[in-house]
């Protein structure tokens, strides 16, 4: 069953269909939130909140094929709310020792994860939405409220920076 | 098209998002240009690795339920019997009411969601605290022109001062909603006033506000604290929360020295 059928089924109130959607999309959405927030615990909270809100509002999703961008938008909004909350907290809580995830990728991906983490927020955000959430440029533009051209140039700049920090051979054009 | 223009299109080409004409221009260029062919390979590999990286973090579920319980426990250091009771009660009430029980029936209906398990764990924790909570006297009281549920803890101040401190805190909250930076600063210590000047947005909130609950002033490490539970018209889970307001004595009255926001 593809996402679209699961969405349609969830819209009719089928909880198991929604649960399957959560399972399918959990990792990508979590990676997106983690990349934006930089804290695994905050990312996990944001995803939990986002899934609950999605279940509450899934009936309002008009085009079932746009579930992924719709869901990503909810996650991004939760991340923004988490940012606001963190800023307001005067007392800073200690950082927990454990992360809220297990890294199950290949060891070779750790350097790449570090390189993504070292990008500034704008570039981290487009990388997260483009690859972790696997969205189209137009969808990202809609979520971020910037023109598609801006998203494209941020993606290209982010990719260049990642290549640089991974020490890949420079492919800069000599003019 | 020159190599630099091709460079800008490679990512879209790899994701198959170019129109046919542009895609075939890129394909033709790659065929005849070793430099761009290499750049294409590099980018294609990186894009593939990034897509895979999106699946590389498996959120763990086991920690979630205890994490929320821990969150309650390590909310802040506790001192004094009255404080323990009220801090625990408020922490549980705020987490249960705002984070999880916003749509509780819903969460339970979704069996795979860790939050359903978290609720079960929290309810057990909450049961243990229920006794403490029940021991707290509550009554409706009119404070600062609002009818509020007053949670009576071991008072740190006499009745008149307690009332004055509560009203001072509520005046501060009202100024957060009217956007009156000057009023906020006038109600705050110099130190907090400076923080407000530096980041006014952190201390402003929009929408209408409804006050729900307030506690007697508690004392901790020389500071007085009051918790105000409230809600406003900001959408969804962000709309119900608790402000923890710390006050210091100043002359005959009080000044706000810190503000925390809890879920
Ligand atoms: Zn070329």
């Amino acid at each position: 069953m593809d996402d679209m059928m699961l969405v349609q089924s969830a819209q009719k109130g089928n909880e198991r269909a929604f649960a399957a959607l959560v399972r399918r999309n959990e990792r990508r959405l979590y990676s997106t939130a983690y990349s934006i927030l930089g804290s695994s615990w905050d990312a996990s909270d944001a995803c939990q909140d986002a899934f609950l809100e999605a279940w509450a509002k899934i009936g309002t999703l008009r085009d079932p094929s746009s579930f992924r961008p719709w869901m990503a938008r909810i996650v991004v909004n939760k991340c923004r709310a988490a940012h606001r909350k963190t800023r307001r907290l005067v007392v800073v809580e200690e950082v927990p020792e454990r992360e809220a995830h297990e890294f199950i990728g290949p060891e070779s991906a750790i350097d790449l994860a570090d390189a993504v983490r070292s990008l500034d927020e704008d570039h981290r955000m487009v990388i997260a939405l483009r690859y972790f959430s696997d969205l189209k440029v137009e969808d990202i533009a809609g979520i971020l409220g910037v023109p598609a051209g801006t998203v494209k140039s941020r993606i290209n700049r982010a990719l260049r920076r990642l290549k640089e920090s991974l020490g890949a051979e420079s492919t800069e054009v000599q003019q | 098209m020159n190599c630099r223009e091709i460079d800008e299109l490679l990512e879209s080409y790899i994701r198959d998002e170019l129109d046919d004409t542009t895609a075939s221009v890129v394909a033709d260029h790659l065929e005849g240009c070793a430099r761009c062919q290499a750049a294409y390979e590099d980018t294609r590999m990186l894009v593939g690795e990034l897509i895979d990286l999106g699946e590389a973090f498996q959120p763990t579920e086991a920690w979630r339920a205890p994490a929320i319980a821990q969150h309650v426990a390590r909310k802040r250091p506790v001192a004094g019997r009255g404080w323990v009771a009220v801090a625990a009660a408020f922490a549980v009430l705020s987490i249960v009411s705002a984070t999880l029980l916003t749509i509780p029936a819903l969460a339970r209906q979704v069996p795979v969601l860790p939050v359903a398990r978290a609720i079960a764990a929290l309810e057990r924790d909450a049961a243990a605290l229920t006794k403490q909570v029940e021991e707290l006297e509550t009554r409706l009281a009119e404070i600062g022109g609002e009818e509020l549920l007053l949670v009576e803890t071991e008072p740190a101040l006499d009745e008149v001062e307690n009332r004055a401190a509560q009203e001072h805190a509520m005046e501060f909250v009202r100024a957060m909603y009217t956007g009156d930076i000057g009023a906020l600063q006038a109600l705050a210590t110099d130190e907090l006033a400076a923080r407000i000047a530096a980041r006014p947005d952190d201390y402003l909130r929009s929408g209408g506000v409804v006050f729900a609950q307030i506690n007697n002033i508690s004392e901790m490490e020389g500071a007085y604290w009051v918790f105000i539970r409230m809600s406003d018209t900001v959408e969804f889970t962000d709309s119900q929360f608790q402000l923890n307001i710390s006050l210091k004595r100043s002359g005959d009255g009080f000044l706000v020295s810190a503000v925390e926001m809890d879920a």
Side-chain angles (χ1 to χ4, degrees):
Chain A
M1 226 200 272
D2 60 12
D3 270 8
M4 198 162 140
M5 290 170 71
L6 288 172
V7 172
Q8 284 167 335
S9 184
Q11 287 184 318
K12 289 178 196 135
N14 184 336
E15 296 146 17
R16 287 175 60 198
F18 184 75
L21 273 174
V22 168
R23 268 202 304 277
R24 268 180 196 216
N25 292 281
E26 185 180 45
R27 274 192 224 158
R28 291 204 167 275
L29 290 165
Y30 172 81
S31 300
T32 303
Y34 180 46
S35 184
I36 294 168
L37 291 171
S39 148
S40 65
W41 288 48
D42 290 350
S44 201
D45 285 351
C47 287
Q48 257 174 223
D49 284 353
F51 285 132
L52 286 175
E53 182 167 337
W55 175 238
K57 293 185 174 170
I58 190 129
T60 69
L61 174 61
R62 262 185 244 138
D63 174 10
S65 70
S66 63
F67 174 75
R68 277 191 302 115
W70 179 76
M71 191 67 234
R73 182 191 292 266
I74 296 176
V75 169
V76 168
N77 286 340
K78 294 295 172 195
C79 289
R80 285 178 173 148
H83 262 321
R84 283 200 303 275
K85 235 172 229 175
T86 314
R87 277 200 296 131
R88 280 213 183 83
L89 274 180
V90 181
V91 176
V92 178
E93 293 187 19
E94 75 264 39
V95 179
E97 283 170 27
R98 283 181 59 195
E99 297 281 24
H101 60 245
E102 256 175 67
F103 187 80
I104 55 168
E107 219 170 285
S108 59
I110 293 172
D111 285 347
L112 180 59
D114 287 344
V116 171
R117 205 168 299 132
S118 70
L119 293 172
D120 63 60
E121 190 176 345
D122 281 349
H123 292 94
R124 251 181 11 245
M125 188 85 107
V126 292
I127 290 290
L129 292 172
R130 179 65 160 165
Y131 304 113
F132 301 169
S133 283
D134 200 15
L135 300 183
K136 288 193 160 54
V137 169
E138 288 68 26
D139 290 329
I140 300 171
I143 289 171
L144 298 182
V146 299
T150 305
V151 173
K152 278 186 196 165
S153 58
R154 279 185 196 167
I155 290 169
N156 282 326
R157 206 174 309 125
L159 290 177
R160 276 199 295 277
R161 287 186 190 164
L162 289 175
K163 282 182 194 167
E164 280 162 25
S165 69
L166 290 168
E169 252 180 43
S170 171
T171 50
E172 277 298 292
V173 181
Q174 311 291 324
Q175 290 267 341
Chain B
M1 254 186 240
N2 65 29
C3 295
R4 189 173 283 279
E5 287 165 323
I6 295 293
D7 244 9
E8 297 301 309
L9 295 174
L10 283 180
E11 204 268 350
S12 306
Y13 179 69
I14 289 161
R15 305 301 303 275
D16 200 17
E17 288 177 12
L18 293 178
D19 62 73
D20 291 350
T21 319
T22 316
S24 67
V25 171
V26 174
D28 288 349
H29 182 101
L30 292 183
E31 204 130 304
C33 177
R35 183 258 154 217
C36 286
Q37 181 66 42
Y40 163 75
E41 286 300 336
D42 272 1
T43 306
R44 194 175 57 89
M45 206 139 72
L46 180 57
V47 164
E49 284 167 358
L50 283 166
I51 291 172
D52 290 345
L53 191 59
E55 299 269 15
F57 296 94
Q58 175 67 57
T60 46
E61 294 179 41
W63 65 270
R64 293 190 199 192
I68 289 171
Q70 274 169 23
H71 195 70
V72 174
R74 68 189 164 84
K75 206 69 197 166
R76 66 180 62 82
V78 289
R81 209 176 56 82
W83 176 271
V84 175
V86 77
F90 270 81
V92 167
L93 285 177
S94 59
I95 287 177
V96 168
S97 65
T99 310
L100 296 174
L101 295 190
T102 314
I103 30 177
L106 176 66
R108 285 197 192 81
Q109 282 164 15
V110 188
V112 294
L113 277 187
V115 75
R117 278 193 285 285
I119 288 178
L122 234 166
E123 281 173 346
R124 282 195 299 277
D125 292 343
L129 281 162
T130 301
K131 218 173 138 237
Q132 269 181 303
V133 175
E134 278 170 356
E135 283 166 6
L136 295 171
E137 300 256 319
T138 58
R139 64 184 166 87
L140 276 176
E142 198 188 304
I143 298 159
E146 302 276 346
E147 191 149 270
L148 286 166
L149 195 62
L150 178 68
V151 180
E152 298 198 325
T153 61
E154 224 167 1
L157 297 169
D158 75 43
E159 210 176 308
V160 176
E161 284 190 302
N162 187 68
R163 173 63 63 107
Q166 285 171 330
E167 288 180 352
H168 189 91
M170 287 183 61
E171 210 176 317
F172 188 88
V173 175
R174 286 206 185 88
M176 290 173 74
Y177 282 85
T178 54
D180 190 341
I181 295 286
L184 281 175
Q185 289 176 312
L187 294 163
T189 59
D190 290 346
E191 205 189 354
L192 180 60
R195 288 206 297 274
I196 293 169
R199 314 191 61 153
D201 286 352
D202 289 4
Y203 296 89
L204 297 178
R205 243 183 120 80
S206 58
V209 56
V210 178
F211 294 98
Q213 209 171 48
I214 194 166
N215 74 306
N216 269 340
I217 307 291
S218 302
E219 190 178 6
M220 188 180 75
E221 289 163 8
Y224 299 109
W225 286 85
V226 62
F227 307 132
I228 306 176
R229 271 215 76 72
M230 50 203 286
S231 58
D232 62 24
T233 51
V234 177
E235 209 191 345
F236 207 60
T237 50
D238 210 21
S239 65
Q240 294 176 46
F241 58 94
Q242 177 177 311
L243 285 178
N244 305 335
I245 295 179
S246 178
L247 299 142
K248 281 198 171 128
R249 275 182 200 278
S250 167
D252 287 344
F254 294 88
L255 291 173
V256 175
S257 58
V259 185
E260 290 174 19
M261 187 178 178
D262 275 353

